[in-house]
Amino acid sequence: MNVAVKATSSSNRTGYKSFELGSFKFSRDEYFVYIEWRSKKGRMTHYMSADAFLRAMMRDVAWGFFYYQVNFDHVFGTNNLYGRVQMFAGSYNETFKAQGLDLIETFETPQIMATFQAILADWTNAGFDPFAAPAETTTDWLGKKHGNNDTAINRQRQVSKRMVGLPGDTPIRTDANGYPVNRAFADVDQSQPEIHAEKGYEGRVHGFNLFAHLSRSDVTWNPSVTSVCKQSLFCPTSEEYILPIKHGNDRVEWFIQLSDQILWDVEDKATGRPRAKVVMKAGDVAAMPADIRHQGYSPKRSMLLVWENVNPRIAEMHATGEIPPYPIKF
Ligand code: PHB
Ligand code: FE
């Protein structure tokens, strides 16, 4: 589908273009991004540091708006309606909402996607990789516009059809195919399991070294689907610094902390009120309820397994109260 993106053709004094979608306006300068909208009480402007905005925008674009809600921060974000997308400011912030300062608008997915891709492309300077840990990229996100980094922002998330390493599926990562071991995981065993399948089961019985796979991830906070079993997706990821979004779920998701430690802030999905602090150490397992939003902090690069349920009815079952927002009633 061909969709027009509304951008001002002339760039501002810092060289960046400004954009419009519905009643929202977006602009940036050396340090900050400005999001403007009209609330019941008049024009509002919200600002974010440009690096935080670009890291969040990168995930929203690369994940196709993800499962339900992506909050860039406590004010701005998107809801995936799976076909259409809502963009909001203040709608899930108790104070903004109570004061009538919020706005939510709905767009066809291709239209909001094209706008977000255009913003990301124009506002990402050469040398800055919004997927990388801060220690593994540059401070090129700041300053006047200088170049772009289309290679980094067009990187595709890896999705296996059945499992990493099966013939015709996502390949096992090696130095040769561009995935060296990360500096933090130099001690991770790189051997692969031996597979001796019974005759007739070749290509059906399989295994691979998940720790080796994750030790070679070149990005952070980007779960990839490494195995698919019916409606169960294993989406492991390597994490460092801060999850650039606060994710508001529409289903329960399980976390298994495979190495090191992540601190999670858990808030109420509708209001943003604090609900829990979760410290996950290697080996810990947690179920994140369907009525929360969460953001992780990983002091050192760590490995996390996100286990997703893609039952096509699951979101509706939670939304209608057919099932509770948590997996077990004690
Ligand atoms: C999540 O919101 O559940 C999430 C997103 C990205 C990650 C890990 C967890 O890397
Ligand atoms: Fe989540």
Side-chain angles (χ1 to χ4, degrees):
M1 190 195 278
N2 226 353
V3 278
V5 174
K6 219 168 155 190
T8 54
S9 48
S10 61
S11 313
N12 67 15
R13 70 169 176 88
T14 55
Y16 298 102
K17 285 184 188 152
S18 300
F19 295 85
E20 278 179 38
L21 183 59
S23 328
F24 290 86
K25 290 197 171 109
F26 301 87
S27 55
R28 82 155 282 188
D29 59 19
E30 287 94 334
Y31 281 122
F32 301 118
V33 164
Y34 305 84
I35 303 167
E36 288 178 62
W37 69 96
R38 189 166 287 285
S39 75
K40 287 188 213 86
K41 291 195 177 158
R43 188 147 285 287
M44 293 287 297
T45 307
H46 177 61
Y47 6 92
M48 290 181 67
S49 186
D51 63 329
F53 179 89
L54 291 171
R55 288 189 174 103
M57 184 63 106
M58 181 74 259
R59 270 73 184 176
D60 220 11
V61 166
W63 302 344
F65 303 103
F66 208 35
Y67 297 101
Y68 190 52
Q69 189 170 74
V70 169
N71 296 280
F72 284 43
D73 64 358
H74 61 298
V75 174
F76 179 76
T78 57
N79 291 328
N80 194 355
L81 306 182
Y82 309 102
R84 293 192 302 161
V85 175
Q86 293 173 316
M87 183 160 68
F88 59 81
S91 311
Y92 301 88
N93 177 305
E94 200 169 27
T95 314
F96 274 66
K97 185 106 188 120
Q99 301 292 324
L101 302 175
D102 56 303
L103 180 69
I104 185 162
E105 286 182 351
T106 306
F107 303 95
E108 295 300 323
T109 302
Q111 191 192 7
I112 180 168
M113 180 56 90
T115 305
F116 278 21
Q117 282 170 334
I119 295 174
L120 187 63
D122 189 71
W123 292 1
T124 303
N125 291 321
F128 178 64
D129 181 352
F131 260 134
E136 295 182 346
T137 186
T138 68
T139 53
D140 273 310
W141 62 268
L142 52 78
K144 292 190 167 60
K145 179 160 176 62
H146 51 286
N148 44 43
N149 195 354
D150 290 344
T151 313
I153 66 172
N154 292 320
R155 190 193 266 121
Q156 292 297 312
R157 189 183 193 190
Q158 291 178 311
V159 179
S160 294
K161 292 188 274 297
R162 290 190 293 162
M163 192 187 280
V164 168
L166 269 170
D169 215 325
T170 320
I172 287 178
R173 291 175 180 153
T174 61
D175 290 353
N177 62 23
Y179 291 98
V181 175
N182 184 268
R183 73 200 195 290
F185 295 135
D187 57 343
V188 172
D189 176 16
Q190 295 295 320
S191 61
Q192 292 292 336
E194 288 180 25
I195 296 142
H196 303 278
E198 199 71 40
K199 209 168 160 357
Y201 290 88
E202 303 91 344
R204 294 175 64 187
V205 176
H206 182 63
F208 72 104
N209 183 340
L210 178 61
F211 287 96
H213 182 77
L214 289 174
S215 73
R216 293 173 179 274
S217 174
D218 59 339
V219 294
T220 57
W221 305 105
N222 190 37
S224 294
V225 183
T226 58
S227 72
V228 181
C229 183
K230 296 188 179 164
Q231 288 160 347
S232 175
L233 304 188
F234 267 5
C235 312
T237 155
S238 74
E239 319 295 45
E240 185 172 327
Y241 190 54
I242 306 171
L243 171 57
I245 60 147
K246 295 181 179 203
H247 178 219
N249 234 333
D250 56 6
R251 64 200 67 199
V252 172
E253 89 195 316
W254 290 84
F255 287 165
I256 303 171
Q257 188 69 37
L258 298 178
S259 87
D260 303 277
Q261 186 166 314
I262 297 180
L263 313 170
W264 288 96
D265 278 353
V266 182
E267 300 169 349
D268 182 82
K269 186 165 71 180
T271 63
R273 281 192 198 177
R275 263 181 61 174
K277 295 265 186 191
V278 181
V279 179
M280 291 195 70
K281 300 185 179 178
D284 286 349
V285 178
M288 290 286 167
D291 59 354
I292 56 103
R293 67 178 81 157
H294 53 198
Q295 186 167 37
Y297 294 72
S298 188
K300 279 175 63 199
R301 204 178 193 86
S302 70
M303 297 181 184
L304 173 70
L305 178 60
V306 182
W307 182 16
E308 291 285 0
N309 181 340
V310 288
N311 178 330
R313 282 206 58 238
I314 198 79
E316 178 200 331
M317 286 160 91
H318 281 296
T320 57
E322 184 181 334
I323 52 172
Y326 37 81
I328 305 167
K329 224 176 200 153
F330 290 107

